[in-house]
PDB file of all heavy atoms in Angstrom:
ATOM      1  N   TRP A  98      -6.042   3.414  13.309  1.00  0.00           N
ATOM      2  CA  TRP A  98      -5.701   4.853  13.373  1.00  0.00           C
ATOM      3  C   TRP A  98      -4.525   5.104  14.320  1.00  0.00           C
ATOM      4  O   TRP A  98      -3.512   5.689  13.907  1.00  0.00           O
ATOM      5  CB  TRP A  98      -6.936   5.695  13.738  1.00  0.00           C
ATOM      6  CG  TRP A  98      -6.621   7.148  13.862  1.00  0.00           C
ATOM      7  CD1 TRP A  98      -6.161   7.799  14.964  1.00  0.00           C
ATOM      8  CD2 TRP A  98      -6.691   8.135  12.800  1.00  0.00           C
ATOM      9  NE1 TRP A  98      -5.941   9.129  14.681  1.00  0.00           N
ATOM     10  CE2 TRP A  98      -6.259   9.367  13.362  1.00  0.00           C
ATOM     11  CE3 TRP A  98      -7.068   8.093  11.468  1.00  0.00           C
ATOM     12  CZ2 TRP A  98      -6.210  10.547  12.619  1.00  0.00           C
ATOM     13  CZ3 TRP A  98      -7.019   9.277  10.739  1.00  0.00           C
ATOM     14  CH2 TRP A  98      -6.591  10.482  11.306  1.00  0.00           C
ATOM     15  N   HIS A 167      -5.316   7.532   2.963  1.00  0.00           N
ATOM     16  CA  HIS A 167      -5.244   8.960   3.298  1.00  0.00           C
ATOM     17  C   HIS A 167      -4.415   9.239   4.544  1.00  0.00           C
ATOM     18  O   HIS A 167      -4.149  10.393   4.866  1.00  0.00           O
ATOM     19  CB  HIS A 167      -6.657   9.523   3.478  1.00  0.00           C
ATOM     20  CG  HIS A 167      -7.391   9.642   2.175  1.00  0.00           C
ATOM     21  ND1 HIS A 167      -7.484  10.823   1.492  1.00  0.00           N
ATOM     22  CD2 HIS A 167      -8.007   8.718   1.409  1.00  0.00           C
ATOM     23  CE1 HIS A 167      -8.158  10.626   0.371  1.00  0.00           C
ATOM     24  NE2 HIS A 167      -8.492   9.355   0.287  1.00  0.00           N
ATOM     25  N   ILE A 168      -4.051   8.181   5.262  1.00  0.00           N
ATOM     26  CA  ILE A 168      -3.265   8.395   6.486  1.00  0.00           C
ATOM     27  C   ILE A 168      -1.854   7.829   6.255  1.00  0.00           C
ATOM     28  O   ILE A 168      -1.618   7.202   5.234  1.00  0.00           O
ATOM     29  CB  ILE A 168      -3.963   7.744   7.710  1.00  0.00           C
ATOM     30  CG1 ILE A 168      -4.033   6.222   7.573  1.00  0.00           C
ATOM     31  CG2 ILE A 168      -5.365   8.316   7.891  1.00  0.00           C
ATOM     32  CD1 ILE A 168      -4.557   5.519   8.831  1.00  0.00           C
ATOM     33  N   HIS A 198       0.170   9.350   0.101  1.00  0.00           N
ATOM     34  CA  HIS A 198       0.447  10.783  -0.020  1.00  0.00           C
ATOM     35  C   HIS A 198       1.923  11.059  -0.296  1.00  0.00           C
ATOM     36  O   HIS A 198       2.257  11.985  -1.014  1.00  0.00           O
ATOM     37  CB  HIS A 198       0.086  11.502   1.284  1.00  0.00           C
ATOM     38  CG  HIS A 198      -1.378  11.782   1.459  1.00  0.00           C
ATOM     39  ND1 HIS A 198      -2.120  12.434   0.523  1.00  0.00           N
ATOM     40  CD2 HIS A 198      -2.218  11.515   2.493  1.00  0.00           C
ATOM     41  CE1 HIS A 198      -3.371  12.566   0.968  1.00  0.00           C
ATOM     42  NE2 HIS A 198      -3.448  12.008   2.152  1.00  0.00           N
ATOM     43  N   MET A 237      -2.084  14.559  -2.135  1.00  0.00           N
ATOM     44  CA  MET A 237      -3.414  15.129  -2.387  1.00  0.00           C
ATOM     45  C   MET A 237      -3.397  16.650  -2.302  1.00  0.00           C
ATOM     46  O   MET A 237      -2.809  17.225  -1.390  1.00  0.00           O
ATOM     47  CB  MET A 237      -4.396  14.574  -1.358  1.00  0.00           C
ATOM     48  CG  MET A 237      -5.831  14.942  -1.634  1.00  0.00           C
ATOM     49  SD  MET A 237      -6.893  14.115  -0.425  1.00  0.00           S
ATOM     50  CE  MET A 237      -8.455  14.806  -0.858  1.00  0.00           C
ATOM     51  N   ILE A 282      -6.228  24.908  13.306  1.00  0.00           N
ATOM     52  CA  ILE A 282      -7.510  24.225  13.069  1.00  0.00           C
ATOM     53  C   ILE A 282      -7.226  22.744  12.895  1.00  0.00           C
ATOM     54  O   ILE A 282      -6.397  22.360  12.077  1.00  0.00           O
ATOM     55  CB  ILE A 282      -8.186  24.753  11.775  1.00  0.00           C
ATOM     56  CG1 ILE A 282      -8.504  26.239  11.916  1.00  0.00           C
ATOM     57  CG2 ILE A 282      -9.435  23.952  11.443  1.00  0.00           C
ATOM     58  CD1 ILE A 282      -9.252  26.832  10.728  1.00  0.00           C
ATOM     59  N   ARG A 284      -9.184  18.529  13.591  1.00  0.00           N
ATOM     60  CA  ARG A 284     -10.136  17.675  14.300  1.00  0.00           C
ATOM     61  C   ARG A 284      -9.515  17.419  15.659  1.00  0.00           C
ATOM     62  O   ARG A 284      -8.289  17.352  15.782  1.00  0.00           O
ATOM     63  CB  ARG A 284     -10.303  16.337  13.576  1.00  0.00           C
ATOM     64  CG  ARG A 284     -11.385  16.317  12.549  1.00  0.00           C
ATOM     65  CD  ARG A 284     -11.586  14.963  11.939  1.00  0.00           C
ATOM     66  NE  ARG A 284     -10.322  14.342  11.559  1.00  0.00           N
ATOM     67  CZ  ARG A 284      -9.685  13.423  12.281  1.00  0.00           C
ATOM     68  NH1 ARG A 284     -10.200  13.005  13.433  1.00  0.00           N
ATOM     69  NH2 ARG A 284      -8.549  12.914  11.866  1.00  0.00           N
ATOM     70  N   LYS A 289      -2.956  15.165  16.146  1.00  0.00           N
ATOM     71  CA  LYS A 289      -2.767  16.547  15.685  1.00  0.00           C
ATOM     72  C   LYS A 289      -1.896  17.370  16.638  1.00  0.00           C
ATOM     73  O   LYS A 289      -1.574  18.520  16.346  1.00  0.00           O
ATOM     74  CB  LYS A 289      -4.123  17.237  15.504  1.00  0.00           C
ATOM     75  CG  LYS A 289      -5.088  16.492  14.575  1.00  0.00           C
ATOM     76  CD  LYS A 289      -4.717  16.636  13.110  1.00  0.00           C
ATOM     77  CE  LYS A 289      -5.710  15.901  12.216  1.00  0.00           C
ATOM     78  NZ  LYS A 289      -5.395  15.968  10.794  1.00  0.00           N
ATOM     79  N   LEU A 317      -9.246  26.132  16.894  1.00  0.00           N
ATOM     80  CA  LEU A 317     -10.529  25.562  16.492  1.00  0.00           C
ATOM     81  C   LEU A 317     -10.354  24.054  16.489  1.00  0.00           C
ATOM     82  O   LEU A 317      -9.599  23.510  15.670  1.00  0.00           O
ATOM     83  CB  LEU A 317     -10.944  26.075  15.097  1.00  0.00           C
ATOM     84  CG  LEU A 317     -12.201  25.416  14.504  1.00  0.00           C
ATOM     85  CD1 LEU A 317     -13.430  25.661  15.379  1.00  0.00           C
ATOM     86  CD2 LEU A 317     -12.481  25.948  13.093  1.00  0.00           C
ATOM     87  N   VAL A 319     -12.291  20.601  16.096  1.00  0.00           N
ATOM     88  CA  VAL A 319     -13.573  20.084  15.622  1.00  0.00           C
ATOM     89  C   VAL A 319     -13.859  18.742  16.294  1.00  0.00           C
ATOM     90  O   VAL A 319     -13.014  17.843  16.256  1.00  0.00           O
ATOM     91  CB  VAL A 319     -13.543  19.925  14.077  1.00  0.00           C
ATOM     92  CG1 VAL A 319     -14.869  19.410  13.561  1.00  0.00           C
ATOM     93  CG2 VAL A 319     -13.189  21.252  13.423  1.00  0.00           C
ATOM     94  N   ARG A 359     -15.938  23.114  18.333  1.00  0.00           N
ATOM     95  CA  ARG A 359     -17.127  22.972  17.493  1.00  0.00           C
ATOM     96  C   ARG A 359     -16.699  22.967  16.039  1.00  0.00           C
ATOM     97  O   ARG A 359     -15.540  23.245  15.722  1.00  0.00           O
ATOM     98  CB  ARG A 359     -18.090  24.135  17.741  1.00  0.00           C
ATOM     99  CG  ARG A 359     -17.630  25.456  17.148  1.00  0.00           C
ATOM    100  CD  ARG A 359     -18.402  26.621  17.677  1.00  0.00           C
ATOM    101  NE  ARG A 359     -18.004  26.883  19.059  1.00  0.00           N
ATOM    102  CZ  ARG A 359     -18.043  28.103  19.620  1.00  0.00           C
ATOM    103  NH1 ARG A 359     -18.496  29.134  18.957  1.00  0.00           N
ATOM    104  NH2 ARG A 359     -17.644  28.284  20.849  1.00  0.00           N
ATOM    105  N   SER A 360     -17.673  22.702  15.188  1.00  0.00           N
ATOM    106  CA  SER A 360     -17.387  22.811  13.762  1.00  0.00           C
ATOM    107  C   SER A 360     -18.009  24.122  13.303  1.00  0.00           C
ATOM    108  O   SER A 360     -19.111  24.470  13.716  1.00  0.00           O
ATOM    109  CB  SER A 360     -18.035  21.623  13.061  1.00  0.00           C
ATOM    110  OG  SER A 360     -17.958  21.811  11.689  1.00  0.00           O
ATOM    111  N   LEU A 361     -17.305  24.867  12.492  1.00  0.00           N
ATOM    112  CA  LEU A 361     -17.842  26.147  12.024  1.00  0.00           C
ATOM    113  C   LEU A 361     -18.272  26.031  10.565  1.00  0.00           C
ATOM    114  O   LEU A 361     -17.710  25.226   9.820  1.00  0.00           O
ATOM    115  CB  LEU A 361     -16.765  27.232  12.133  1.00  0.00           C
ATOM    116  CG  LEU A 361     -16.317  27.636  13.531  1.00  0.00           C
ATOM    117  CD1 LEU A 361     -15.217  28.686  13.450  1.00  0.00           C
ATOM    118  CD2 LEU A 361     -17.484  28.169  14.350  1.00  0.00           C
ATOM    119  N   PRO A 362     -19.229  26.861  10.138  1.00  0.00           N
ATOM    120  CA  PRO A 362     -19.582  26.858   8.709  1.00  0.00           C
ATOM    121  C   PRO A 362     -18.391  27.312   7.865  1.00  0.00           C
ATOM    122  O   PRO A 362     -17.511  28.037   8.359  1.00  0.00           O
ATOM    123  CB  PRO A 362     -20.724  27.866   8.607  1.00  0.00           C
ATOM    124  CG  PRO A 362     -21.074  28.254   9.989  1.00  0.00           C
ATOM    125  CD  PRO A 362     -20.014  27.804  10.924  1.00  0.00           C
ATOM    126  N   PHE A 363     -18.391  26.902   6.612  1.00  0.00           N
ATOM    127  CA  PHE A 363     -17.288  27.215   5.705  1.00  0.00           C
ATOM    128  C   PHE A 363     -16.945  28.715   5.707  1.00  0.00           C
ATOM    129  O   PHE A 363     -15.773  29.097   5.752  1.00  0.00           O
ATOM    130  CB  PHE A 363     -17.662  26.755   4.282  1.00  0.00           C
ATOM    131  CG  PHE A 363     -16.600  27.021   3.262  1.00  0.00           C
ATOM    132  CD1 PHE A 363     -15.416  26.289   3.255  1.00  0.00           C
ATOM    133  CD2 PHE A 363     -16.760  28.019   2.292  1.00  0.00           C
ATOM    134  CE1 PHE A 363     -14.423  26.533   2.317  1.00  0.00           C
ATOM    135  CE2 PHE A 363     -15.768  28.272   1.349  1.00  0.00           C
ATOM    136  CZ  PHE A 363     -14.605  27.526   1.363  1.00  0.00           C
ATOM    137  N   LEU A 366     -14.792  29.625   8.466  1.00  0.00           N
ATOM    138  CA  LEU A 366     -13.451  29.060   8.278  1.00  0.00           C
ATOM    139  C   LEU A 366     -12.623  30.068   7.470  1.00  0.00           C
ATOM    140  O   LEU A 366     -11.454  30.348   7.783  1.00  0.00           O
ATOM    141  CB  LEU A 366     -13.601  27.749   7.503  1.00  0.00           C
ATOM    142  CG  LEU A 366     -12.491  26.744   7.569  1.00  0.00           C
ATOM    143  CD1 LEU A 366     -12.395  26.159   8.968  1.00  0.00           C
ATOM    144  CD2 LEU A 366     -12.756  25.609   6.573  1.00  0.00           C
ATOM    145  N   TYR A 370      -9.156  31.984   8.391  1.00  0.00           N
ATOM    146  CA  TYR A 370      -7.955  31.904   7.549  1.00  0.00           C
ATOM    147  C   TYR A 370      -7.481  33.290   7.137  1.00  0.00           C
ATOM    148  O   TYR A 370      -6.293  33.613   7.189  1.00  0.00           O
ATOM    149  CB  TYR A 370      -8.242  31.095   6.276  1.00  0.00           C
ATOM    150  CG  TYR A 370      -8.271  29.584   6.443  1.00  0.00           C
ATOM    151  CD1 TYR A 370      -9.089  28.801   5.632  1.00  0.00           C
ATOM    152  CD2 TYR A 370      -7.456  28.939   7.371  1.00  0.00           C
ATOM    153  CE1 TYR A 370      -9.115  27.415   5.752  1.00  0.00           C
ATOM    154  CE2 TYR A 370      -7.484  27.555   7.497  1.00  0.00           C
ATOM    155  CZ  TYR A 370      -8.309  26.801   6.686  1.00  0.00           C
ATOM    156  OH  TYR A 370      -8.331  25.440   6.806  1.00  0.00           O
ATOM    157  N   ASP A 383       0.625  13.182  10.567  1.00  0.00           N
ATOM    158  CA  ASP A 383      -0.548  13.532   9.759  1.00  0.00           C
ATOM    159  C   ASP A 383      -0.301  13.048   8.338  1.00  0.00           C
ATOM    160  O   ASP A 383       0.762  13.332   7.769  1.00  0.00           O
ATOM    161  CB  ASP A 383      -0.715  15.062   9.762  1.00  0.00           C
ATOM    162  CG  ASP A 383      -2.170  15.479   9.658  1.00  0.00           C
ATOM    163  OD1 ASP A 383      -2.978  14.664   9.180  1.00  0.00           O
ATOM    164  OD2 ASP A 383      -2.486  16.627  10.048  1.00  0.00           O
ATOM    165  N   GLY A 384      -1.268  12.314   7.796  1.00  0.00           N
ATOM    166  CA  GLY A 384      -1.108  11.786   6.442  1.00  0.00           C
ATOM    167  C   GLY A 384      -0.714  12.884   5.476  1.00  0.00           C
ATOM    168  O   GLY A 384       0.284  12.794   4.761  1.00  0.00           O
ATOM    169  N   MET A 385      -1.500  13.973   5.465  1.00  0.00           N
ATOM    170  CA  MET A 385      -1.199  15.085   4.582  1.00  0.00           C
ATOM    171  C   MET A 385      -1.296  16.401   5.353  1.00  0.00           C
ATOM    172  O   MET A 385      -0.338  17.076   5.569  1.00  0.00           O
ATOM    173  CB  MET A 385      -2.173  15.040   3.384  1.00  0.00           C
ATOM    174  CG  MET A 385      -2.105  16.217   2.438  1.00  0.00           C
ATOM    175  SD  MET A 385      -0.468  16.638   1.831  1.00  0.00           S
ATOM    176  CE  MET A 385      -0.025  15.275   0.819  1.00  0.00           C
ATOM    177  N   ASN A 386      -2.478  16.764   5.813  1.00  0.00           N
ATOM    178  CA  ASN A 386      -2.878  18.020   6.440  1.00  0.00           C
ATOM    179  C   ASN A 386      -3.247  19.044   5.387  1.00  0.00           C
ATOM    180  O   ASN A 386      -2.395  19.744   4.806  1.00  0.00           O
ATOM    181  CB  ASN A 386      -1.844  18.598   7.399  1.00  0.00           C
ATOM    182  CG  ASN A 386      -2.473  19.685   8.285  1.00  0.00           C
ATOM    183  OD1 ASN A 386      -3.008  20.673   7.773  1.00  0.00           O
ATOM    184  ND2 ASN A 386      -2.459  19.487   9.571  1.00  0.00           N
ATOM    185  N   LEU A 387      -4.551  19.121   5.152  1.00  0.00           N
ATOM    186  CA  LEU A 387      -5.070  20.016   4.117  1.00  0.00           C
ATOM    187  C   LEU A 387      -5.240  21.437   4.632  1.00  0.00           C
ATOM    188  O   LEU A 387      -5.213  22.393   3.860  1.00  0.00           O
ATOM    189  CB  LEU A 387      -6.417  19.490   3.610  1.00  0.00           C
ATOM    190  CG  LEU A 387      -6.355  18.089   2.969  1.00  0.00           C
ATOM    191  CD1 LEU A 387      -7.738  17.630   2.558  1.00  0.00           C
ATOM    192  CD2 LEU A 387      -5.417  18.069   1.764  1.00  0.00           C
ATOM    193  N   VAL A 388      -5.378  21.584   5.975  1.00  0.00           N
ATOM    194  CA  VAL A 388      -5.565  22.921   6.540  1.00  0.00           C
ATOM    195  C   VAL A 388      -4.391  23.823   6.152  1.00  0.00           C
ATOM    196  O   VAL A 388      -4.565  24.983   5.795  1.00  0.00           O
ATOM    197  CB  VAL A 388      -5.736  22.831   8.078  1.00  0.00           C
ATOM    198  CG1 VAL A 388      -5.715  24.207   8.709  1.00  0.00           C
ATOM    199  CG2 VAL A 388      -7.043  22.110   8.421  1.00  0.00           C
ATOM    200  N   GLU A 391      -4.951  24.984   2.713  1.00  0.00           N
ATOM    201  CA  GLU A 391      -6.094  25.902   2.606  1.00  0.00           C
ATOM    202  C   GLU A 391      -5.728  27.293   3.117  1.00  0.00           C
ATOM    203  O   GLU A 391      -6.120  28.308   2.533  1.00  0.00           O
ATOM    204  CB  GLU A 391      -7.279  25.333   3.400  1.00  0.00           C
ATOM    205  CG  GLU A 391      -7.832  24.058   2.784  1.00  0.00           C
ATOM    206  CD  GLU A 391      -8.811  23.301   3.673  1.00  0.00           C
ATOM    207  OE1 GLU A 391      -9.135  23.802   4.779  1.00  0.00           O
ATOM    208  OE2 GLU A 391      -9.238  22.207   3.279  1.00  0.00           O
TER     209      GLU A 391
HETATM  210  C1  LIG B   2      -7.369  12.873   6.793  1.00  0.00           C
HETATM  211  C2  LIG B   2      -5.901  12.736   7.201  1.00  0.00           C
HETATM  212  C3  LIG B   2      -5.290  14.026   5.160  1.00  0.00           C
HETATM  213  C4  LIG B   2     -11.800  21.580   9.675  1.00  0.00           C
HETATM  214  N1  LIG B   2     -12.527  22.249  10.552  1.00  0.00           N
HETATM  215  C5  LIG B   2     -13.624  22.695   9.920  1.00  0.00           C
HETATM  216  C6  LIG B   2     -13.524  22.301   8.605  1.00  0.00           C
HETATM  217  N2  LIG B   2     -12.400  21.596   8.469  1.00  0.00           N
HETATM  218  C7  LIG B   2     -11.914  20.987   7.227  1.00  0.00           C
HETATM  219  C8  LIG B   2     -10.643  21.620   6.742  1.00  0.00           C
HETATM  220  C9  LIG B   2      -9.982  20.497   5.962  1.00  0.00           C
HETATM  221  C10 LIG B   2     -10.477  19.247   6.661  1.00  0.00           C
HETATM  222  O1  LIG B   2     -11.573  19.619   7.482  1.00  0.00           O
HETATM  223  C11 LIG B   2      -9.409  18.625   7.556  1.00  0.00           C
HETATM  224  O2  LIG B   2      -8.494  17.960   6.747  1.00  0.00           O
HETATM  225  P1  LIG B   2      -7.051  17.517   7.231  1.00  0.00           P
HETATM  226  O3  LIG B   2      -6.281  17.073   6.068  1.00  0.00           O
HETATM  227  O4  LIG B   2      -6.390  18.641   7.911  1.00  0.00           O
HETATM  228  O5  LIG B   2      -7.270  16.348   8.306  1.00  0.00           O
HETATM  229  P2  LIG B   2      -8.159  14.979   8.520  1.00  0.00           P
HETATM  230  O6  LIG B   2      -9.585  15.274   8.713  1.00  0.00           O
HETATM  231  O7  LIG B   2      -7.510  14.294   9.662  1.00  0.00           O
HETATM  232  O8  LIG B   2      -8.001  14.099   7.180  1.00  0.00           O
HETATM  233  C12 LIG B   2      -5.134  13.929   6.678  1.00  0.00           C
HETATM  234  C13 LIG B   2      -6.753  13.984   4.759  1.00  0.00           C
HETATM  235  O9  LIG B   2      -7.412  12.854   5.334  1.00  0.00           O
HETATM  236  C14 LIG B   2      -6.922  13.929   3.248  1.00  0.00           C
HETATM  237  O10 LIG B   2      -6.288  12.842   2.690  1.00  0.00           O
HETATM  238  O11 LIG B   2      -4.770  15.267   4.752  1.00  0.00           O
HETATM  239  O12 LIG B   2      -3.773  13.779   7.000  1.00  0.00           O
HETATM  240  O13 LIG B   2      -5.765  12.648   8.614  1.00  0.00           O
HETATM  241  O14 LIG B   2     -10.428  20.473   4.640  1.00  0.00           O
HETATM  242  O15 LIG B   2     -10.982  22.731   5.972  1.00  0.00           O
HETATM  243  N3  LIG B   2     -14.453  22.629   7.699  1.00  0.00           N
HETATM  244  C15 LIG B   2     -15.512  23.378   8.112  1.00  0.00           C
HETATM  245  N4  LIG B   2     -15.658  23.760   9.397  1.00  0.00           N
HETATM  246  C16 LIG B   2     -14.751  23.459  10.317  1.00  0.00           C
HETATM  247  O16 LIG B   2     -14.920  23.805  11.486  1.00  0.00           O
HETATM  248  N5  LIG B   2     -16.451  23.740   7.233  1.00  0.00           N
END
Side-chain angles (χ1 to χ4, degrees):
W98 178 274
H167 288 261
I168 65 173
H198 280 307
M237 188 175 175
I282 298 184
R284 270 184 314 100
K289 305 285 181 181
L317 173 61
V319 181
R359 73 194 73 151
S360 171
L361 293 178
F363 180 71
L366 200 68
Y370 282 149
D383 211 338
M385 173 51 67
N386 195 302
L387 299 177
V388 171
E391 293 168 4

